Amino acid sequence: MTNNSNNAQVAGKTSIKTYRDAINDAIREEMRRDPTVIVLGEEVSGGAGCDGEDDAYGGVFGVTKGLMPEFGRERVIDTPISEAAIIGAAAGAANNGLRPIAELMFFDFIGVSFDQIFNQAAKFRYMFGGKSKTPMVIRGTVGGGWRAGAQHSSMLHSIVTHIAGLKVVMPSNAYDAKGLMVQAIRDDDPVIFLEHKVMYDNECEVPDEQYAIPFGEAAFPRQGKDVTIVAISNMVTHAIAAADILAEEGISCDVIDPRTVSPMDDEAILESVEVTGRLVVVDEGNPRCGLASDIAGIVAEKGFHSLRAPIRTVTAPHTPVPFAPELEDAYLPNVDKVLAAVREVLGA
Amino acid sequence: MTNNSNNAQVAGKTSIKTYRDAINDAIREEMRRDPTVIVLGEEVSGGAGCDGEDDAYGGVFGVTKGLMPEFGRERVIDTPISEAAIIGAAAGAANNGLRPIAELMFFDFIGVSFDQIFNQAAKFRYMFGGKSKTPMVIRGTVGGGWRAGAQHSSMLHSIVTHIAGLKVVMPSNAYDAKGLMVQAIRDDDPVIFLEHKVMYDNECEVPDEQYAIPFGEAAFPRQGKDVTIVAISNMVTHAIAAADILAEEGISCDVIDPRTVSPMDDEAILESVEVTGRLVVVDEGNPRCGLASDIAGIVAEKGFHSLRAPIRTVTAPHTPVPFAPELEDAYLPNVDKVLAAVREVLGA
Amino acid sequence: MPYQEEFLLRAYRSMRTIREFEERCIAEFMGGNVPGFVHASNGQEAIAVAACIDLSDSDIIGSTHRGHGHCIAKGCDIGGMMKEIMGRSTGLCKGKGGSMHIADIDKGMLGANAIVGGGPPLVNGAALASKTLGTKNVALSFNGDGSANQGTAMEAMNMAVVLQLPHVFIYENNGYAEGTAANYGLGCDSLTDRNAGFGMPAECVDGNDFFATYEAIKVATKRARDGGGPTSIEAKCVRFDGHFIGDPQLYRGKDEVKNARKNQDCLKIFRDRVIKEGWLKTAAMDAIDKEIKVEIEQAVADGLAAPHPDPVTDLMSDVYCSY
Amino acid sequence: MPYQEEFLLRAYRSMRTIREFEERCIAEFMGGNVPGFVHASNGQEAIAVAACIDLSDSDIIGSTHRGHGHCIAKGCDIGGMMKEIMGRSTGLCKGKGGSMHIADIDKGMLGANAIVGGGPPLVNGAALASKTLGTKNVALSFNGDGSANQGTAMEAMNMAVVLQLPHVFIYENNGYAEGTAANYGLGCDSLTDRNAGFGMPAECVDGNDFFATYEAIKVATKRARDGGGPTSIEAKCVRFDGHFIGDPQLYRGKDEVKNARKNQDCLKIFRDRVIKEGWLKTAAMDAIDKEIKVEIEQAVADGLAAPHPDPVTDLMSDVYCSY
Ligand SMILES: Cc1ncc(C[n+]2csc(CCOP(=O)(O)OP(=O)(O)O)c2C)c(N)n1
Ligand SMILES: Cc1ncc(C[n+]2csc(CCOP(=O)(O)OP(=O)(O)O)c2C)c(N)n1
Ligand SMILES: [Mg+2]
Ligand SMILES: [Mg+2]
């Protein structure tokens, strides 16, 4: 297993795979196994109605490449630019026997489809007294680093985490991405599956066979006893890098990757803080009502007596994502900011 | 001043006014003063194109009643049921010389208009390098208690608080409602103004003249030294009731009403906790990535050394809002839950 | 006789049940037995029944905030409905949904929807499932003149055409969206023409005439089932009550409702027609009226006697299938 | 001569500036000098210029992700644009916006929009301000064939009709939304007919023909200014480059782009026409071509030399007017 992979071990043959291919793998195998799994979204194949090649994109990030040639346009459905109708179609289909995987090319597009996500799909089961199930996955790319500007770089995971009825999955490496996607597809509830766009080419060792990683179980990419670092999605990369630097200084960090933020493995965090007494939370999202303060709040409520120092959160500032590279780099949490926060909670 | 009113004092004539009328007052006077202020939304007047009476509703909760007869349909604009177009029209008009007040009849309808709120109005100023201003108010009703079910009873303030570029205002009484609405209209940034539907008939003494309450300044409806209770919107009502009960037992509560949650008066909260060492946060919203944990997180980071007990949050559970009265009552925070939380942080 | 007697009696029974149910809902709401917001569909019964009478349980409908009639027409149990609307734990949704979120998946009733325009994208999904799985089920969405202006409804129409989904879009044009005239909210002269512009067959019918509505929807449903894609049916009709129960309706013209109840009552029109044509006897219909009165009476009594949900266990269950 | 020479030269200069700007953008992007996503509008110059050439700074346009041409046509400074696209602090938006969020409020350019369909509701707002304040300004939104299917765009059309807003909806139908054919995404046979269904005059023109496009938009703009409400203009055109710069365009037919560049180049068509009609001389246009080459060269050089934003002060400023 390489750096970013998870604590679990799986037997059998493995290959070095990118995050992109790991997700593609998971979807393809589930589609082979289960004819009710479909994929829909804009350019999930590409080339619909055109004179040139089919499957021209396979998703603008290439994640669904090859699915249409194998499963046909009936199961890999290019749609008009109508995100509300995409999510609605997925939700309605999920209530009627399919297991749709809907793509929001950028998760920033929840703005035009949010009602179908939070008032419809998320609430069916409860509103209808438990009599319906809505097994659907909404895939979306999140995060900065691509110089894509304010409307294509947001995280927004905190918003969906706020909504009861949604499960929110944020893999930080290819191994987790595959196992969590398999679980997401097999899960009977609506799952928001957020892929950080800077990680698509990240590789690690991934089992060839299908495996499902249960939701609500954190991974522990580094173990330690001086300070707990909780990080999510691409921030895990920075947390691990910081932990490795600090390890050389004799500071041992317990890095926790919740992997799914709803449900979230609170216990893993609380148990770690019981040992370390110190907590740094790293999240690329905006700070107010965000995941970082959510975790801080949980620990301040349930793990207060373990704490030996103020909690430190490392997040983006309370601004939109700026375009210019210098600004975007300053906006994003990075290794240096994690190091500074860890030193602060230790020095305090 | 009655129970719920704020710490500030204003000279001049006052009247007993409902929360509804206080908001109506603020809007009417601003419309008289400033011809660029307009109101738009569904049924803000009512009766458009009909044979019967005009101004038939004046908003479904009657908040904008009487405005259309005074200012005409050019400034009090009934719209089709197209929330994205309503918010967009307000935002575009705000960039071009008007000060629109757009109504989302229920704030639950952000789902169909969210892009125009969070990707457009909220981001213009930043994306355009400070070269535009977007002075608009989005009014919406929030909250439970009306047995209106899962799609008409949500709070959702935490979601807009997460968004940089939005200011979020949540008055807990008629006095604040008027002063904050005046400020909201005069403010040059997009303001989300959330009216809790169970408070429309609540009355208190309200000055007749216009006054603006600055954003980011908390009110202190009860002062005390044993425990800090931060509550927002209609939860202030419960916090005050709890504080009054506890006062009889000799427990003195410092009740803080932030009034605006973005910007929020962190300092008032931190100063109070410095004295009390104990914090209870009461919020009707859902718990995950919500305002309650946001405040808890801030205090765990910046006020940690003041804390003498775990923070307690009192929120709705992680479920949609149920319909049946027994269930909705169990869902909502209330005086008993606040009392229990306070006793817990004191007893601990 | 172009219709079988059994069919006509079934249609009449269904319409009368809706009428009686709604009128009783209004009374019970006024009497304090029904919490929340309730939107009654009395006056619009013919459309619901015309749309649903030929459907099987595996065909799907998606409804609106004004959904009782659609539920009843689709075969939902009126006892379970009444309990739901009263917020009882034995209601169709355990009391968690209420009037605006009533659903009955087993009957192919995908749910009322308290979000105007919320339904049509979902019904596309039901239609897509039918197409993908090859089940030949059709899906119908109910829409209002007001909800026609919601972007979600328009997106759904385009997508239904693009994917050739078996989806019949029914627009109940009752002249009002709350207190706003349909003619005001719709910028176009004809919603049917606007919908035709999306590339689907579109027809406008008199929604007070059960037979006209039935025939139009029958053609559309058959087309959908045969793989011919979506259709729009606009049915002009009258809302007999307020937007919500308790609405003072100041925006309506003097005598408008009175006249409509007299001249545009779809039940009266149905009765007159079947009697004129000699298809049914008055006595048969009167007998149904009596039976239904009893049934509704029973539903209300059962509703009032039904248990309330448990604030602890029911509050926290049914959020997820597993968590 | 139906057009003044000054007008024709201005039109040509504007179109040529866009062409040159876009081609240079593509080169600078490929050379690594432009960060992020860039969508070039070369091939579609005639529409931008036809729409904006008669507008004043107080008329408003709202643009799309493919907005450079609209900016230039509306009079934005190309130096400021290039700096913005390169992310420099002296760019039109201080480098905070970039290509997809470029705006210039002083020039009545309300902003590109990285959200497909994000613009039309906002342009309604600009039009509403004009109507309310009685300024007689008109507002134009640019839309694509793909964005036509976004609910926001359709809602905006209906609302513009209902409120009789001075808003001209321009649909640049370049045959593609990313790698999806316009004919696939649009379920209807004719977008123009679909838009007409909303209750506004709607016309389809050859967007490669500057003159045809100009005349149609002129009528629409005048109607709007005179209080006659909105219009839809669909202009069929060709996207010369990829959806984004770097797009391999596998979905396009063999030789499609080559043929289009040869036969459907709006600049060539313009030149041929004005020469055939004897309205302009080749030399005059060639001279403009040369001037523009120099201008763009200068814009790039200035862009590359321009200061970068400050990661501390610039990051945190401009979120609010006051907080
Ligand atoms: C998104 C949204 N906007 C507004 C409302 C409030 N609302 C409920 S019903 C209604 C009118 C709907 O009119 P129409 O579609 O004609 O249906 P009708 O009430 O006439 O049956 C409105 C505005 C809502 N529930 N959801
Ligand atoms: C809401 C939203 N959905 C999807 C996208 C991704 N996207 C950007 S441009 C585009 C195609 C737009 O097509 P069209 O409107 O025809 O404009 P064109 O690119 O042809 O100029 C898509 C799908 C987006 N930016 N916003
Ligand atoms: Mg209606
Ligand atoms: Mg296009």
Side-chain angles (χ1 to χ4, degrees), chain B:
Chain B
M1 295 286 150
T2 65
N3 247 352
N4 280 3
S5 73
N6 120 306
N7 43 325
Q9 297 294 334
V10 173
K13 208 169 142 346
T14 63
S15 323
I16 300 290
K17 283 244 161 73
T18 61
Y19 189 81
R20 173 187 293 105
D21 290 342
I23 298 168
N24 182 286
D25 252 29
I27 298 175
R28 189 174 1 85
E29 288 299 327
E30 288 305 292
M31 288 186 79
R32 285 179 182 164
R33 205 182 51 77
D34 180 350
T36 69
V37 178
I38 64 164
V39 167
L40 75 167
E42 296 155 15
E43 312 295 339
V44 290
S45 164
C50 300
D51 293 335
E53 286 178 30
D54 255 341
D55 207 36
Y57 284 123
V60 290
F61 292 93
V63 176
T64 48
K65 188 88 185 165
L67 298 179
M68 199 284 285
E70 180 167 352
F71 302 104
R73 289 210 176 267
E74 296 282 312
R75 288 181 67 198
V76 183
I77 303 169
D78 279 336
T79 67
I81 308 174
S82 308
E83 282 81 6
I86 293 169
I87 303 299
N95 272 306
N96 286 281
L98 295 183
R99 292 188 169 271
I101 305 171
E103 177 176 314
L104 290 180
M105 193 185 283
F106 290 78
F107 198 61
D108 309 67
F109 307 160
I110 59 165
V112 287
S113 55
F114 194 40
D115 184 72
Q116 293 290 324
I117 298 174
F118 98 96
N119 263 331
Q120 312 293 342
K123 289 180 181 167
F124 285 155
R125 189 167 169 74
Y126 194 78
M127 287 194 305
F128 301 159
K131 288 187 188 153
S132 76
K133 63 175 190 179
T134 310
M136 65 187 280
V137 182
I138 301 174
R139 291 181 46 237
T141 53
V142 293
W146 265 60
R147 290 46 172 125
Q151 295 174 333
H152 278 61
S153 308
S154 302
M155 291 298 299
L156 302 174
H157 55 291
S158 300
I159 287 177
V160 277
T161 301
H162 186 59
I163 304 296
L166 299 176
K167 296 175 177 174
V168 183
V169 179
M170 304 181 75
S172 71
N173 60 78
Y175 173 91
D176 287 345
K178 178 168 175 178
L180 291 167
M181 178 52 87
V182 170
Q183 176 59 32
I185 297 169
R186 295 180 187 172
D187 202 277
D188 281 336
D189 295 306
V191 177
I192 310 287
F193 192 95
L194 301 178
E195 303 163 16
H196 198 300
K197 54 181 90 70
V198 308
M199 296 200 295
Y200 278 126
D201 291 323
N202 291 5
E203 294 179 326
C204 75
E205 212 168 332
V206 177
D208 291 350
E209 64 186 30
Q210 292 290 83
Y211 54 97
I213 297 178
F215 292 166
E217 294 189 7
F220 308 95
R222 291 292 180 278
Q223 288 175 18
K225 52 178 190 17
D226 296 329
V227 59
T228 303
I229 308 177
V230 179
I232 195 76
S233 189
N234 188 44
M235 296 301 104
V236 176
T237 318
H238 300 320
I240 290 173
D244 289 347
I245 291 169
L246 291 162
E248 296 194 0
E249 301 174 16
I251 297 169
S252 97
C253 299
D254 211 41
V255 179
I256 299 184
D257 172 2
R259 300 197 285 196
T260 66
V261 297
S262 180
M264 190 167 67
D265 193 347
D266 295 5
E267 263 151 52
I269 298 170
L270 292 167
E271 278 168 21
S272 172
V273 174
E274 221 175 287
V275 174
T276 63
R278 291 162 210 277
L279 175 63
V280 170
V281 189
V282 192
D283 180 23
E284 189 181 323
N286 290 112
R288 296 298 315 285
C289 295
L291 184 68
S293 61
D294 186 65
I295 293 171
I298 289 168
V299 173
E301 183 148 7
K302 299 191 193 153
F304 177 74
H305 294 296
S306 310
L307 283 172
R308 279 176 275 153
I311 296 169
R312 268 287 272 127
T313 58
V314 180
T315 68
H318 186 65
T319 76
V321 186
F323 164 66
E326 299 75 17
L327 297 182
E328 191 179 35
D329 290 344
Y331 173 94
L332 296 168
N334 58 24
V335 178
D336 286 340
K337 292 179 194 171
V338 178
L339 288 173
V342 171
R343 295 208 163 97
E344 206 179 305
V345 299
L346 283 168

Side-chain angles (χ1 to χ4, degrees), chain A residues 42-43 60 80-83 104-106 108-110 112 151-152, chain B residues 115 119, chain D residues 39-41 44 64-66 70 100 113-118 143-150 152 172-180 182 239 242-244:
Chain A
E42 296 154 17
E43 312 295 339
V60 292
I81 308 175
S82 308
E83 282 80 4
L104 291 179
M105 192 185 284
F106 290 78
D108 308 68
F109 308 160
I110 58 164
V112 288
Q151 294 173 334
H152 278 61
Chain B
D115 184 72
N119 263 331
Chain D
H39 307 85
S41 68
Q44 307 182 193
T64 67
H65 59 289
R66 199 176 302 288
H70 311 142
M100 286 205 291
N113 211 308
I115 300 298
V116 167
N143 305 270
D145 50 277
S147 73
N149 297 319
Q150 189 66 269
T152 51
E172 300 182 80
N173 186 341
N174 60 9
Y176 292 95
E178 301 215 354
T180 299
R239 201 189 71 201
H243 169 61
F244 50 87

Side-chain angles (χ1 to χ4, degrees), chain C residues 144-146 172 174-177:
Chain C
D145 50 277
E172 298 182 82
N174 60 10
Y176 292 94

Side-chain angles (χ1 to χ4, degrees), chain C residues 206-230:
Chain C
D206 176 1
N208 301 318
D209 178 351
F210 168 82
F211 297 101
T213 309
Y214 172 75
E215 293 300 334
I217 295 176
K218 188 172 162 178
V219 171
T221 306
K222 179 166 187 328
R223 182 185 300 122
R225 224 183 274 285
D226 292 347

